[in-house]
Amino acid sequence: MGFHIPSTSPARKWLGFVAAIWVQAISGNNYTFSNYSDALKSLMSLTQLQLNNLSVAKDVGKAFGIFAGLASDRLPTPAILLIGSIEGFIGYGVQWLVVSGRIQPLPYWVMCIFLCMGGNSTTWMNTAILVTCIRNFRKNRGSVSGILKGYVGLSTAIFTDICSALFANDPSSFLLLLAVVPFVVCFTAVLFLREIPPSSTSAEEKDEVKYFGIINVVAVFIAVYLLAFDISGSRGTVFSQLFAAILLILLASPLFIPMYLMVKNFIRSNSVNLDFEGNNIAAVPFLAEQIVEKKDVGVETKKEMATVPVIGEDHTIFEAMRTVDFWILFFSFLCGVGTGLAVMNNLGQMGLAMGYVDVSILVSFTSIWGFFGRIISGSVSEYFIKKAAIPRPVWNAASQILMAIGYILMAMAMPGSLYIGSIVVGICYGVRLAVTVPTASELFGLKYYGLIYNVLILNLPLGSFLFSGLLAGLLYDAQATKTASGGNTCIGAHCYRLVFIVMAIACIVGFGLDVLLSIRTRSLYSKIYVSRKSKKSAVLS
């Protein structure tokens, strides 16, 4: 029989999830702008407002993620991944040609187009990954979101640290990595990632929880490993190469899970008695789950014939946009991710203005602590739904208050405040992404989730334009002095103080919206809690 993997085998599903992890580990390139923004500013003689508008163009690419959302219901997952990888290769490839000096600097508007393409490429990757994996593991969507979004957060540190280790933070080499690596990884992932029926027995659900726990441990180890590299100081060539090799091994280590399942399946398939017995055991829980699952209003459609769906049932995008809950979620998301993006896009200039010599470590800190925010909040929010019916938006509210405190610390400009602030913003931005993704699927269903997710992601370009392009750019330029090359510069805590204060106020507004959404969704999460308890009782009986 060999190691043939059936199309519905758990091994195939987990092999696809590992491939999804790899894609997410390289699809956070949209957050790395600070690593090469100063090179673009010098090469093109830009003002800070012009540079910030380039970063906005990068984020505007996410606005076209609507096309990825529409395609997710019409094209297979491999096709969506291929579109994203090719677009990213072109977008970042052209930027590499410019920064490396292989071609002359392109006109400003042309550069905006290629940055937009680079930004849009990640929407295709993320849509393919999130929609497929949440459908494959719908009973553990909080853990799925936390892990996948966590690796997106780590990807900035992965790219930054590998470039630092192997290429001494050279901007052109960094852009070459952003162009080539996602292209290669996505072409690998198309071989494995497919939509597969979710778990059908309680034993499979328990296994899922166990395997997600293992992947969480590996991910935390990778994050600590990256953090240790960041604070290790000066490094020799051999040490740096060894670091990169071990990092690649760690990223490949989750393959142990599908390999273990393949061996387990091989042993079982060669034992007729075990195979027959396993089929009989699985039959009853499967039927029982199908009956109980009809009652799960937080996951599947309860009233297929209803003309107006209620919260918890499948909504089209137009039905979702007619609800108050959608707009509360939308604008609270804007307050969190919009302000967070402003910090990420301007972290390089913020560091230079406040006297920090090495700003790359700030970018890496934001990425690594963003990972902890994503992976912990995904699992914690899932745990407390199952144990106490606590609405998922509660965790968004907590992150908004903490983020406001972080901005106030940065506005005070005390020694080390930018380090502390970048950590706090990273954690809270990660929580915001990891919690909002499954929340949207629970409120509005999975049937049209790809499009609903990409409409929510419109907050990224909108937030980037409002908080980074307008707020940070205009206020910085108002404080800056002209340089001989035609650009400008600003040194001192005053350069960004008012920016931080305004963003802290925005986070307080977001906190109020999240508290309101938590109150409005209490009954939904109570129903999810009750349905899961009922399912466990039915399976046991």
Side-chain angles (χ1 to χ4, degrees):
M1 289 187 180
F3 283 93
H4 170 70
I5 311 175
S7 60
T8 58
S9 167
R12 181 176 290 274
K13 183 164 65 175
W14 283 100
L15 190 60
F17 188 71
V18 173
I21 287 175
W22 293 342
V23 173
Q24 295 297 77
I26 51 83
S27 63
N29 44 21
N30 205 44
Y31 300 112
T32 62
F33 185 70
S34 291
N35 283 330
Y36 59 91
S37 61
D38 197 52
L40 285 176
K41 185 177 183 180
S42 300
L43 190 67
M44 300 177 66
S45 299
L46 303 176
T47 66
Q48 188 62 34
L49 180 59
Q50 289 173 320
L51 182 67
N52 282 11
N53 284 334
L54 272 184
S55 73
V56 171
K58 159 186 69 71
D59 294 323
V60 163
K62 293 185 177 294
F64 296 100
I66 289 177
F67 294 112
L70 289 169
S72 67
D73 293 326
R74 295 166 175 80
L75 296 178
T77 299
I80 298 173
L81 276 175
L82 288 176
I83 292 171
S85 63
I86 293 170
E87 190 178 21
F89 182 76
I90 296 171
Y92 287 104
V94 170
Q95 293 177 65
W96 168 72
L97 291 174
V98 171
V99 172
S100 64
R102 284 169 171 76
I103 63 174
Q104 291 296 314
L106 299 173
Y108 184 81
W109 67 271
V110 176
M111 288 298 294
C112 286
I113 291 175
F114 285 109
L115 265 85
C116 183
M117 289 182 65
N120 182 249
S121 67
T122 61
T123 67
W124 293 86
M125 299 177 196
N126 292 338
T127 298
I129 296 303
L130 285 170
V131 172
T132 304
C133 290
I134 285 181
R135 286 174 177 170
N136 287 353
F137 300 96
R138 60 187 65 194
K139 305 298 192 309
N140 289 284
R141 60 186 76 183
S143 298
V144 168
S145 174
I147 291 170
L148 295 180
K149 286 297 182 181
Y151 272 96
V152 173
L154 277 186
S155 66
T156 305
I158 290 170
F159 276 124
T160 301
D161 288 352
I162 286 180
C163 185
S164 175
L166 303 181
F167 309 112
N169 289 321
D170 176 51
S172 65
S173 300
F174 187 81
L175 280 166
L176 184 60
L177 284 178
L178 295 185
V180 174
V181 174
F183 183 78
V184 173
V185 171
C186 285
F187 264 80
T188 303
V190 298
L191 302 175
F192 307 111
L193 190 62
R194 298 289 188 279
E195 192 168 325
I196 296 173
S199 59
S200 57
T201 68
S202 59
E204 284 184 30
E205 287 186 41
K206 289 181 180 178
D207 285 341
E208 284 184 7
V209 173
K210 178 176 66 177
Y211 297 145
F212 282 133
I214 293 172
I215 293 175
N216 277 332
V217 171
V218 171
V220 169
F221 192 84
I222 292 173
V224 173
Y225 180 68
L226 290 168
L227 188 61
F229 179 79
D230 286 336
I231 62 177
S232 62
S234 58
R235 300 168 285 266
T237 303
V238 175
F239 178 87
S240 298
Q241 291 174 347
L242 182 63
F243 158 79
I246 294 175
L247 178 59
L248 293 177
I249 293 172
L250 290 173
L251 289 171
S253 61
L255 273 175
F256 167 79
I257 292 172
M259 289 174 64
Y260 165 75
L261 290 172
M262 281 190 281
V263 172
K264 185 177 178 181
N265 182 67
F266 174 75
I267 295 173
R268 181 177 297 168
S269 64
N270 281 277
S271 176
V272 177
N273 291 333
L274 286 176
D275 183 62
F276 179 79
E277 182 182 349
N279 286 336
N280 280 311
I281 291 173
V284 174
F286 176 79
L287 292 175
E289 178 172 308
Q290 298 307 303
I291 294 170
V292 175
E293 200 169 51
K294 296 291 185 181
K295 303 176 183 177
D296 191 353
V297 298
V299 179
E300 301 293 341
T301 303
K302 183 183 178 183
K303 302 175 182 177
E304 295 181 359
M305 300 304 293
T307 56
V308 180
V310 298
I311 292 298
E313 298 178 352
D314 286 323
H315 288 63
T316 66
I317 184 59
F318 299 109
E319 290 169 342
M321 291 173 71
R322 286 200 293 266
T323 66
V324 174
D325 300 287
F326 178 86
W327 292 110
I328 296 174
L329 182 63
F330 185 90
F331 286 112
S332 69
F333 194 44
L334 174 64
C335 293
V337 298
T339 58
L341 270 176
V343 172
M344 293 178 189
N345 288 338
N346 293 276
L347 201 51
Q349 281 67 44
M350 288 174 178
L352 294 173
M354 298 173 71
Y356 291 81
V357 177
D358 184 9
V359 294
S360 65
I361 193 172
L362 293 172
V363 177
S364 189
F365 266 24
T366 305
S367 171
I368 292 169
W369 289 100
F371 156 79
F372 284 116
R374 298 171 199 228
I375 202 164
I376 292 172
S377 64
S379 299
V380 168
S381 64
E382 192 72 36
Y383 174 83
F384 279 100
I385 289 173
K386 294 177 180 178
K387 295 298 181 182
I390 294 178
R392 224 184 277 270
V394 164
W395 307 101
N396 279 338
S399 73
Q400 292 283 69
I401 283 295
L402 188 59
M403 190 177 258
I405 294 172
Y407 291 140
I408 292 170
L409 282 175
M410 288 191 278
M412 294 172 66
M414 295 183 296
S417 63
L418 196 57
Y419 285 114
I420 298 172
S422 64
I423 291 172
V424 170
V425 170
I427 291 173
C428 297
Y429 185 87
V431 172
R432 185 85 247 185
L433 284 174
V435 172
T436 300
V437 168
T439 298
S441 72
E442 286 157 350
L443 266 58
F444 308 113
L446 285 170
K447 188 173 183 180
Y448 305 102
Y449 176 66
L451 184 54
I452 291 172
Y453 164 75
N454 278 286
V455 171
L456 285 173
I457 291 300
L458 287 174
N459 277 297
L460 296 179
L462 179 59
S464 179
F465 171 72
L466 292 175
F467 294 103
S468 182
L470 288 182
L471 181 69
L474 289 173
L475 293 182
Y476 179 96
D477 283 346
Q479 302 288 339
T481 56
K482 294 287 184 180
T483 61
S485 62
N488 64 7
T489 186
C490 182
I491 303 296
H494 65 283
C495 300
Y496 285 100
R497 179 169 288 122
L498 186 56
V499 175
F500 293 137
I501 293 172
V502 173
M503 293 196 300
I505 295 171
C507 286
I508 293 172
V509 173
F511 166 76
L513 292 172
D514 285 319
V515 170
L516 177 60
L517 187 61
S518 299
I519 295 171
R520 290 177 61 88
T521 57
R522 279 184 305 178
S523 60
L524 169 64
Y525 284 99
S526 295
K527 291 175 182 177
I528 294 174
Y529 170 77
V530 170
S531 69
R532 289 180 177 178
K533 296 287 284 186
S534 300
K535 185 189 299 181
K536 284 185 179 181
S537 300
V539 170
L540 289 173
S541 64

